[in-house]
Structures are given as structure tokens and as C-alpha cells.
Amino acid sequence: MLKFLKFAELNQIDLIPQAVIKKPISFFEKQGIGFVHDNDTLDVFDGAAFLLDDLRFALMHHAGYPADTTTVYLPRDFGEDVEKITASIRVILSALQLSAESLVWERKDTPEL
């Protein structure tokens, strides 16, 4: 079950981009997802944090990224197992009621990053 977290709960966690969804932040806001406006070492961003069963993740959009995209971030301690990441992204997409066709990039496309 998808639960909303306060974004501050993920502030101390090193988040790694694992997939890019071809949907703007406004798409998710229309579904009732609230985003915070904040900044990190990269730039300013809009972000929302979630817990899906035991999986913590964030949806974020940094300034300067294409306006029609939202990035899925997983904690660094999630690991580098591309199959596990891919499966987790599919679970997240399902919870968000999106198909894999909504992805423009995911870790399995360039696992060496």
C-alpha cells in the first residue's frame, strides 16, 4: 500500500535517480500528491516521499530538467542490483497506476552509471 511520507524523512538519505517518468509534476499533483519545494546540493527541486510496503522512494523534479518529466529516486543503500531496481520501479509504477511505457529512462538502460 502506498503511503505518503514527509519529505524531510528522506532528507538525510542519499537518493539515487533510478528512472524517469514522462509525466510532469502537475500530473501527480492532480492525483492529490503534495510536493515540497526545496533544494539540495544539485539545485532546487519539487519532491514527494513515499513508503510502498518496505520500499522508500521519492518523486522529484529538479530545476533545469525537462518540464514534462519526474524522476524516481531510491535510497543508495537499496543497492546496485539492476534486476531488483527494475522490479521495484515496476512496483512503483503499478502503485502510481502507470505503465512501463511511461518511462523515458531507467537504470537498466545504462546500468554502468
Side-chain angles (χ1 to χ4, degrees), residues 15-36:
L15 296 171
I16 306 298
Q18 300 292 359
V20 178
I21 301 169
K22 189 168 180 66
K23 297 283 183 191
I25 291 292
S26 61
F27 171 84
F28 298 102
E29 290 174 325
K30 288 176 185 173
Q31 295 180 355
I33 297 174
F35 285 79
V36 299

Side-chain angles (χ1 to χ4, degrees), residues 33-45:
I33 297 174
F35 285 79
V36 299
H37 188 73
D38 206 343
N39 64 302
D40 59 15
T41 56
L42 294 176
D43 208 341
V44 295
F45 67 87

